[in-house]
Amino acid sequence: MKHCIIVKWNDKVKDKDEYYKKAVEAFKDVTLIEGVSGYKVYKSNSSRSNRYDIMIEIDCTEEGLNVYDGCQLHQDWEKNFTEYFEAKTIFDYDR
């Protein structure tokens, strides 16, 4: 399955490229989680105000998603980034 996290940064983020890099760094070890086989962080190519800024796409099994949901990496992502979210959407789909 694909687990997608789609984020729009709030006004606290002055440099979106910097936060894109921070997101990449935050997820660099996600494939160490059993059931997670890959990931990619995408940066939006649009500067329109009604667009989201990044999308994190994680390749995983259903069990891998359950492990990810409870892992330290996920807890650190929420703890360190939530204050910078204007909006966040989660979307899961089968490949």
Side-chain angles (χ1 to χ4, degrees):
M1 80 180 317
K2 299 275 189 178
H3 173 68
C4 300
I5 307 157
I6 307 164
V7 172
K8 181 170 182 64
W9 301 123
N10 63 27
D11 291 340
K12 290 181 180 180
V13 173
K14 303 301 180 202
D15 183 346
K16 292 181 180 182
D17 286 334
E18 176 188 353
Y19 277 79
Y20 163 75
K21 291 173 188 172
K22 287 181 179 191
V24 169
E25 178 67 20
F27 282 87
K28 70 178 172 60
D29 291 332
V30 74
T31 56
L32 299 176
I33 297 168
E34 188 173 335
V36 175
S37 59
Y39 83 105
K40 187 159 186 181
V41 182
Y42 299 90
K43 182 171 52 170
S44 176
N45 65 358
S46 177
S47 60
R48 294 180 183 192
S49 63
N50 65 341
R51 299 295 195 264
Y52 282 64
D53 298 302
I54 65 167
M55 180 174 80
I56 299 128
E57 182 181 70
I58 299 173
D59 296 307
C60 58
T61 62
E62 183 72 35
E63 172 131 348
L65 181 58
N66 291 334
V67 174
Y68 164 76
D69 278 343
C71 79
Q72 188 64 49
L73 185 148
H74 183 244
Q75 292 170 16
D76 289 346
W77 162 251
E78 293 289 326
K79 179 180 132 193
N80 296 325
F81 287 86
T82 299
E83 72 175 288
Y84 302 105
F85 297 164
E86 180 176 318
K88 180 179 84 167
T89 299
I90 305 298
F91 184 79
D92 299 326
Y93 67 98
D94 290 321
R95 356 179 200 160

